[in-house]
Amino acid sequence: VQLQASGGGLVQAGGSLRLSCGASGHTFSRYLMGWFRQAPGKEREFVVAITSSGRTTYSTDSVKGRFTSSRDNARNTVFLHLTSLTPEDTAVYYCAAALDTLDMRLAFANSRHYEYWGQGTQVTVSS
């Protein structure tokens, strides 16, 4: 699976962005998709994951109520909707894919379980 993330940019605090991640190469609808981010000097951290059907999402506590994910399997695309952004959300955001299995439903927050990664898109939030 090849992943291509886009949609990052510079936004003021309180603003919104929508990130996209397009996939090609395999059956997209079989994959659980995760979003991670990495701020300068920090480790990569889990943000949101969405199951293959799109019916279930998982979010880290710091983004609950602000970030959501959706997907369009017909277009092989997953989205990360970012709202109420703060400067602490500044990071490179990555999308990642892993086959949607029972094990993956338990391991969605662990970056090591993802097989494929996009190149990342920069989100910068100014105060």
Side-chain angles (χ1 to χ4, degrees):
V1 177
Q2 290 81 45
L3 302 176
Q4 180 77 31
S6 62
L10 174 63
V11 62
Q12 288 188 331
S16 301
L17 279 175
R18 187 183 76 166
L19 307 184
S20 300
C21 177
S24 62
H26 285 273
T27 306
F28 178 71
S29 61
R30 297 176 59 195
Y31 286 83
L32 179 148
M33 300 297 296
W35 288 93
F36 292 77
R37 67 185 180 184
Q38 188 166 18
K42 295 187 177 180
E43 293 186 352
R44 189 171 299 187
E45 65 171 351
F46 167 74
V47 180
V48 176
I50 184 168
T51 58
S52 56
S53 67
R55 284 194 287 266
T56 304
T57 60
Y58 311 95
S59 304
T60 193
D61 286 345
S62 64
V63 307
K64 283 181 180 176
R66 301 190 301 123
F67 294 5
T68 60
S69 185
S70 62
R71 64 192 294 161
D72 183 342
N73 284 345
R75 294 169 54 195
N76 286 2
T77 305
V78 62
F79 303 98
L80 181 64
H81 309 272
L82 302 88
T83 65
S84 301
L85 285 160
T86 74
E88 288 70 36
D89 296 315
T90 295
V92 177
Y93 284 71
Y94 299 89
C95 57
L99 285 172
D100 193 352
T101 63
L102 290 177
D103 286 344
M104 198 59 210
R105 296 285 179 104
L106 299 175
F108 57 84
N110 189 332
S111 62
R112 290 176 292 181
H113 290 267
Y114 287 82
E115 302 166 69
Y116 306 101
W117 289 83
Q119 85 288 1
T121 185
Q122 176 72 46
V123 172
T124 303
V125 185
S126 63
S127 57

